[in-house]
Amino acid sequence: MSRRLKRERRAVAGKRRMGGTPWHRRHRRLLVGVVGVLVVVLGTASGYAYYLNSQLDNVGRVDTQLKEKDRPDPDRGRALNILLLGSDKGKEEPGARDTTLAEDAAASRWPAGKYRSDTLMIAHITSDRRKVYLVSIPRDTFTDIHDQTGAVRSKQKINDAFSEYGPDGAISTVENLTNLRMRHLAIIDWDGFESLSSAVGGVPVFIPRAFYDPKQEVQWQAGQQTLEGKKALAYVRTRYGLVRGDFDRIARQQNFLRSLMKKMLARDTLSNPIKLTRTLTAVTKNLTVDADWDPGDMRALALSLRGVRSDDVTFLTAPVAGTELDPTYGDVVVLDQAKCAELFDALRNDRMDAYLRKYPDDRLADERQIG
């Protein structure tokens, strides 16, 4: 460690002991690219940079091997599309060593079926870095599944791509479905939301009606609640007992992320070094990104997004035409091809404002309308 860096760390520690002015007043606020919540976790300070850097260096990474000729042309502007996956780990084989996602992705053979990704989102960051759009793709979307080489292997539910063919399969499947280039990949372990929700002191949500979830054996009471730990994880996983099933689960996940971002931006989080440290640690501990997304690029993106606030982040879902019963795969989601073409074109050309002027109801509803 350099002498200059040691002096900076001692200076920061000294100001903490002396009860100095809170960090968010002494320094320009820095947006840290948290990726899953991606885009709206604030960090602070030059004196905090060493800790931030060390945490970003600890983020897991996976190599991706897709050939350029099999993928959409790279975006020539500054707008970015990032594929976000919420991952649950399945059961390990008896006697098998417990391995990480990054280790499994680097192995010669992907452990098909070990991981599930029931949450898929495209994070679109506008070229002017003023707005972010998070577009969910229903997990039961019936589509062509591409493997890690980009080849079509089957037609079934989209969440099978990651489970069977890993990160490359998920990227290739989404890119071929949307004809959008995914600049980066971020995978978040949903179990990490237990520690993340606790790190910020709980996440406030409103539940409009009481109901029972038989799958998780949870009784939900109506009204305003603050969720953390296992209860927060149960909230984003709930599917049974909801009127619209998986569609309501998507809305709940988006609502939770929206509320979580607001909580992360709250003054009591930004001005509390302990809470801020716990929040950043909870995120990076449960995050895996593509190997090409190095810490320097993540910090550069964070800096360019420092003006973004929670109101600048819009949640929506890929347009759905309806559901069908497939004899092999059961209930599947059929996307609205015409409207999806408009949405994906708007993302490709960085014209989401125009799309939402035409379809204002596509935005995530107010929390009091979400099951």
Side-chain angles (χ1 to χ4, degrees):
M1 185 185 302
S2 69
R3 292 180 179 177
R4 179 183 61 79
L5 191 52
K6 289 181 178 179
R7 287 197 301 270
E8 288 179 357
R9 295 183 70 188
R10 284 197 297 268
V12 171
K15 289 182 180 180
R16 289 179 189 162
R17 288 193 297 270
M18 291 184 292
T21 306
W23 291 358
H24 71 281
R25 293 181 185 174
R26 289 187 283 110
H27 300 282
R28 182 180 185 179
R29 296 199 299 183
L30 161 66
L31 190 70
V32 191
V34 159
V35 200
V37 181
L38 187 52
V39 271
V40 210
V41 176
L42 294 184
T44 53
S46 58
Y48 195 70
Y50 177 80
Y51 180 77
L52 170 60
N53 291 352
S54 67
Q55 289 302 302
L56 291 179
D57 287 336
N58 290 333
V59 169
R61 284 176 167 75
V62 297
D63 286 314
T64 54
Q65 306 295 330
L66 293 175
K67 297 178 180 178
E68 290 300 319
K69 67 182 181 64
D70 297 325
R71 308 177 69 188
D73 289 338
D75 192 342
R76 298 296 181 186
R78 295 179 61 223
L80 296 175
N81 293 310
I82 300 169
L83 179 60
L84 310 179
L85 302 177
S87 174
D88 282 324
K89 180 185 277 191
K91 293 182 179 179
E92 296 278 359
E93 294 183 5
R97 183 175 68 87
D98 187 17
T99 53
T100 66
L101 174 60
E103 289 175 326
D104 287 332
S108 58
R109 179 176 173 270
W110 171 256
K114 178 178 177 179
Y115 297 92
R116 300 183 302 272
S117 179
D118 289 345
T119 301
L120 296 87
M121 291 184 183
I122 297 172
H124 176 80
I125 302 172
T126 59
S127 58
D128 60 10
R129 298 299 189 261
R130 293 182 178 178
K131 294 183 179 179
V132 178
Y133 298 90
L134 288 169
V135 182
S136 290
I137 301 177
R139 69 168 195 166
D140 292 337
T141 296
F142 202 52
T143 189
D144 288 335
I145 302 299
H146 296 251
D147 66 14
Q148 60 270 31
T149 71
V152 177
R153 297 297 297 267
S154 63
K155 185 167 185 176
Q156 55 177 293
K157 298 177 181 181
I158 196 169
N159 65 343
D160 190 67
F162 179 68
S163 178
E164 292 297 317
Y165 305 110
D168 280 326
I171 295 171
S172 185
T173 297
V174 171
E175 287 189 338
N176 279 279
L177 172 67
T178 64
N179 196 30
L180 293 168
R181 174 62 178 268
M182 297 296 112
R183 180 69 72 184
H184 290 295
L185 168 73
I187 306 170
I188 301 173
D189 184 344
W190 274 113
D191 286 338
F193 275 75
E194 288 190 39
S195 54
L196 183 55
S197 62
S198 297
V200 298
V203 178
V205 298
F206 181 83
I207 299 176
R209 65 178 183 86
F211 70 94
Y212 180 69
D213 176 1
K215 180 72 172 180
Q216 301 186 99
E217 299 182 343
V218 175
Q219 175 64 51
W220 294 100
Q221 302 298 332
Q224 190 71 39
Q225 301 180 37
T226 299
L227 305 179
E228 63 178 286
K230 294 186 181 302
K231 199 65 178 289
L233 184 60
Y235 178 85
V236 297
R237 281 179 164 169
T238 296
R239 181 185 186 189
Y240 296 90
L242 298 175
V243 175
R244 299 188 306 146
D246 199 49
F247 296 116
D248 278 341
R249 178 168 70 167
I250 290 174
R252 274 185 154 219
Q253 290 173 351
Q254 292 183 343
N255 184 53
F256 184 88
L257 291 176
R258 179 172 60 185
S259 184
L260 177 60
M261 286 190 289
K262 291 180 180 178
K263 191 65 181 289
M264 287 177 167
L265 288 167
R267 184 176 296 274
D268 67 335
T269 299
L270 298 177
S271 61
N272 187 325
I274 295 177
K275 185 180 289 188
L276 195 57
T277 297
R278 288 174 178 169
T279 300
L280 185 58
T281 300
V283 171
T284 55
K285 182 181 179 181
N286 296 283
L287 177 66
T288 302
V289 301
D290 63 275
D292 291 333
W293 201 0
D294 62 51
D297 288 342
M298 294 177 72
R299 287 189 293 273
L301 178 61
L303 280 169
S304 70
L305 288 163
R306 60 185 175 273
V308 173
R309 298 295 179 264
S310 56
D311 290 342
D312 300 319
V313 180
T314 301
F315 292 85
L316 57 159
T317 301
V320 171
T323 60
E324 294 180 356
L325 181 61
D326 182 87
T328 302
Y329 302 110
D331 291 324
V332 297
V333 171
V334 179
L335 296 181
D336 184 327
Q337 297 296 325
K339 194 174 177 184
C340 275
E342 289 187 67
L343 170 61
F344 300 147
D345 184 69
L347 290 169
R348 188 177 308 110
N349 295 296
D350 205 15
R351 295 180 57 82
M352 283 300 295
D353 281 350
Y355 176 86
L356 287 172
R357 282 196 296 271
K358 184 176 181 180
Y359 302 109
D361 293 339
D362 280 11
R363 289 184 173 88
L364 178 65
D366 179 84
E367 67 168 352
R368 290 181 174 270
Q369 301 172 8
I370 294 173

